[in-house]
Amino acid sequence: MKDHHVVWRLALACAAVFAGFAEASAAIDLIPMPVKVEEREGTCPYDPGKIDYIADESVPKEGYRLVVSPEGVKVFASDDAGRFYAGETLRQLAKRISESEKVVPCVEIEDAPRYPWRGFHLDECRHFFGKETVKSMLDLMARYKLNRFHWHLTDDQGWRLDVPGYPELVRYGAVRSASVRHRCWASTGSKEDADKLNGTRYGPYFYTESDLREIVAYAAERHIQVVPEIELPGHVYAALAAYPEFACFPENLAARDPRLVWGIESDVLCIGNDRALKFMENVIDWTCRVFPGDVVHIGGDECPQERWKTCPKCQARIKAEGLKDVGDLQPWVTRRFVKFLEARGKRALGWDEYLLGDIPKSAIGMSWREDRVGAGHELVSGAAAAARGHDVVMTPTSYCYLDYGQGLKEDPFTYIFGKITLERCYSFDPCAGVPEEARRHILGGQGNNWSEYTWNEYDLQWKAWPRMLALAEVFWLGERKQGYADFERRARIHRGRLVASGINCAPIE
Ligand code: ACM
Ligand code: ZN
């Protein structure tokens, strides 16, 4: 058993040498490219019902060894995910040779992911996509061996969860009386235009518990863990529209409407109000029961502190807890929720700002900023968080934000700003700048789709694909990736398949 392990490690370490086999072969157009591919003469009929599965504890987690010979197909794996990914590789390898017959080339593959976190993030608050779009995205994620669906379900502009016991959440939080009229202030060049409203009611749009359980099960069948995000203490305006008493100044929420324009809202959760904290605990407790995964995202980004400065309850909290000032309130509430999740056998995940202060090491960071942007809080870089002993998922704005432009000559869709080309995505290294000794804390990365300027499935697909192909290969291979030229060759083939299957995939120029 031990010897096998050494062989595996050697195989993975020698990836660069082995990948030469794959590069030499035009027939092997897999994405992500496996770690080691050896092509042989001949083919084997493709029949998913006739695969010989062999348990092999020497194969790493989520990995597989696939042996296709004219006699049949053998899959060696130590877990179900590995068996599943071998099946996905076979599906990609299979070629149709007649109306009713497919074959796979004879091949020997050894494969295992570099990173355990290979994610895609979807914001359903600014615009809502619905179950069918989510399922279609989960199908594509599985095809490319992505395994974490980070679902952004609560924000200033919309609350998408029908939580038992809190009927006002969807009554008020899941519907906006209007949205911004212009497709993008960046393209009008006028900040004034940015906030003009269209007068059109948006919603109510939300998921019931049974919808959520259906999506969780659908994802699990594809070896994808759903990571729900419940934002706190900022980005909660839609919840405050439902329950104004949980704001520092309830009178600011008199309209009972979520925030109508994009951007960051100043009215946030009142940290001094025990009932507000109890509300969040009840929501997160329910979330823990509906989502069986081991991680819950609790937001933490872009939380302005100005309301806390003049709120008597928040000031009383600072006194009672011996805190220095309002700057200590977010770390205080973060610690409380990290522990709340620990008590339920879960780990907290949050955007980099939530790691400011003394936060328990079980808390996972999601590194998005490379600079001090957003609400202006001091940056906690992914490298710094990892060096402090936090596990980190890397999602920097300059590589992983799918709502940024993709640098196409012509593009009918609107973006928030920036330019992240397909090649730029491919050049992403989640461990770049992270000290050697802290790299074991880098769990992987994720492509993020924020939906201020993404209205529907067609728009979403265009922004996600083909860039998610590049990120999927980065997360699977890491340092072992073989270069953009060969990736681009394969990406063109996959784009053709995506388009043929009805996916609105952007061109590769
Ligand atoms: C973020 O993009 N505000 C995490
Ligand atoms: Zn307050």
Side-chain angles (χ1 to χ4, degrees):
M1 214 49 109
K2 209 155 186 218
D3 286 347
H4 271 111
H5 211 79
V6 173
V7 170
W8 256 104
R9 290 199 163 277
L10 267 174
L12 295 175
C14 298
V17 178
F18 290 128
F21 286 103
E23 265 199 290
S25 166
I28 304 297
D29 48 34
L30 298 162
I31 294 182
M33 182 58 94
V35 173
K36 176 191 169 190
V37 181
E38 279 185 63
E39 216 183 337
R40 305 269 160 77
E41 285 293 304
T43 60
C44 175
Y46 175 61
D47 182 349
K50 285 209 183 132
I51 297 170
D52 190 7
Y53 290 103
I54 299 137
D56 183 343
E57 290 306 314
S58 73
V59 179
K61 265 188 175 173
E62 298 189 276
Y64 61 92
R65 189 155 75 88
L66 172 64
V67 181
V68 182
S69 70
E71 291 77 51
V73 175
K74 289 195 170 104
V75 169
F76 302 80
S78 60
D79 58 17
D80 284 342
R83 285 183 269 281
F84 178 77
Y85 291 138
E88 289 300 317
T89 294
L90 279 165
R91 269 158 54 121
Q92 285 196 25
L93 284 171
K95 307 263 183 287
R96 189 171 293 285
I97 54 164
S98 73
E99 204 42 43
S100 60
E101 216 187 341
K102 280 183 171 180
V103 295
V104 266
C106 289
V107 72
E108 189 161 340
I109 290 178
E110 285 184 18
D111 204 12
R114 164 68 176 84
Y115 293 109
W117 191 290
R118 305 181 300 279
F120 175 76
H121 158 280
L122 182 62
D123 167 12
E124 293 230 57
C125 302
R126 279 53 179 262
H127 288 104
F128 184 82
F129 301 92
K131 266 194 306 192
E132 291 318 307
T133 298
V134 167
K135 285 184 179 175
S136 155
M137 193 53 83
L138 292 169
D139 288 342
L140 292 172
M141 286 178 66
R143 192 185 297 180
Y144 295 108
K145 303 185 173 81
L146 296 161
N147 67 351
R148 293 288 185 277
F149 177 55
H150 172 177
W151 210 359
H152 188 80
L153 290 161
T154 72
D155 211 307
D156 292 323
Q157 294 86 358
W159 179 281
R160 306 294 174 211
L161 299 169
D162 186 12
V163 183
Y166 292 103
E168 312 292 64
L169 281 173
V170 294
R171 181 164 172 214
Y172 292 101
V175 53
R176 291 194 293 268
S177 65
S179 305
V180 287
R181 192 179 68 190
H182 286 280
R183 289 183 70 86
C184 181
W185 68 265
S187 63
T188 67
S190 154
K191 187 72 182 104
E192 192 187 327
D193 278 352
D195 297 348
K196 286 206 176 125
L197 298 175
N198 61 10
T200 307
R201 181 179 149 100
Y202 188 78
Y205 295 124
F206 61 89
Y207 291 108
T208 64
E209 185 170 319
S210 107
D211 293 332
L212 299 170
R213 289 189 188 278
E214 182 183 327
I215 292 292
V216 165
Y218 192 88
E221 282 166 21
R222 287 154 184 77
H223 289 271
I224 295 168
Q225 180 176 326
V226 181
V227 180
E229 181 177 354
I230 311 292
E231 276 263 24
L232 67 96
H235 286 287
V236 292
Y237 196 79
L240 300 181
Y243 295 98
E245 64 268 34
F246 302 148
C248 293
F249 301 99
E251 60 274 25
N252 294 356
L253 282 296
R256 310 290 300 271
D257 213 353
R259 184 176 162 96
L260 304 182
V261 297
W262 310 139
I264 303 167
E265 176 55 51
S266 300
D267 283 295
V268 300
L269 197 69
C270 180
I271 305 298
N273 182 339
D274 286 333
R275 289 190 55 237
L277 299 182
K278 185 72 188 151
F279 157 72
M280 271 299 174
E281 285 178 355
N282 289 345
V283 168
I284 290 178
D285 187 49
W286 169 81
T287 301
C288 288
R289 283 182 273 117
V290 175
F291 295 88
D294 60 351
V295 174
V296 174
H297 199 302
I298 55 170
D301 59 320
E302 302 176 318
C303 181
Q305 298 168 352
E306 65 209 67
R307 297 289 185 262
W308 298 342
K309 287 182 185 156
T310 51
C311 170
K313 289 195 181 87
C314 286
Q315 289 300 317
R317 178 76 73 200
I318 289 170
K319 247 196 176 142
E321 296 295 331
L323 306 177
K324 189 158 64 55
D325 54 27
V326 288
D328 281 351
L329 282 175
Q330 184 167 349
W332 181 82
V333 80
T334 300
R335 280 193 292 278
R336 180 173 168 135
F337 280 94
V338 169
K339 288 179 190 155
F340 185 83
L341 285 166
E342 275 175 2
R344 281 151 188 77
K346 312 263 185 182
R347 293 178 73 185
L349 170 62
W351 303 107
D352 83 65
E353 297 97 318
Y354 102 133
L355 291 180
L356 275 171
D358 183 18
I359 304 299
K361 293 295 180 279
S362 75
I364 306 168
M366 186 163 266
S367 172
W368 69 286
R369 297 182 304 166
E370 294 145 282
D371 211 336
R372 189 182 165 126
V373 294
H377 298 302
E378 191 184 318
L379 171 71
V380 182
S381 71
R388 264 166 49 192
H390 290 284
D391 286 343
V392 178
V393 179
M394 299 297 263
T395 67
T397 51
S398 68
Y399 290 94
C400 295
Y401 270 44
L402 303 168
D403 56 337
Y404 282 31
Q406 33 192 334
L408 300 173
K409 288 191 199 89
E410 279 182 51
D411 193 327
F413 296 102
T414 304
Y415 297 86
I416 194 158
F417 33 58
K419 178 172 151 185
I420 302 178
T421 62
L422 181 62
E423 189 166 2
R424 172 96 181 154
C425 286
Y426 196 76
S427 71
F428 178 46
D429 172 6
C431 279
V434 179
E436 192 65 42
E437 64 282 5
R439 289 189 173 187
R440 67 197 157 86
H441 286 300
I442 305 303
L443 299 182
Q446 181 173 285
N448 289 345
N449 194 88
W450 297 100
S451 66
E452 285 92 335
Y453 302 106
T454 301
W455 280 261
N456 55 46
E457 182 169 35
Y458 305 102
D459 199 345
L460 172 67
Q461 290 173 344
W462 180 271
K463 288 167 185 169
W465 307 98
R467 289 185 291 184
M468 279 310 298
L469 294 178
L471 292 177
E473 183 150 305
V474 164
F475 303 150
W476 188 269
L477 286 179
E479 304 78 1
R480 308 169 301 186
K481 69 188 176 195
Q482 288 297 300
Y484 184 70
D486 187 60
F487 166 75
E488 192 192 290
R489 173 186 72 77
R490 288 177 284 120
R492 286 181 189 282
I493 294 163
H494 282 261
R495 177 177 185 272
R497 290 180 196 161
L498 288 167
V499 169
S501 63
I503 304 299
N504 189 26
C505 181
I508 299 172
E509 294 178 333

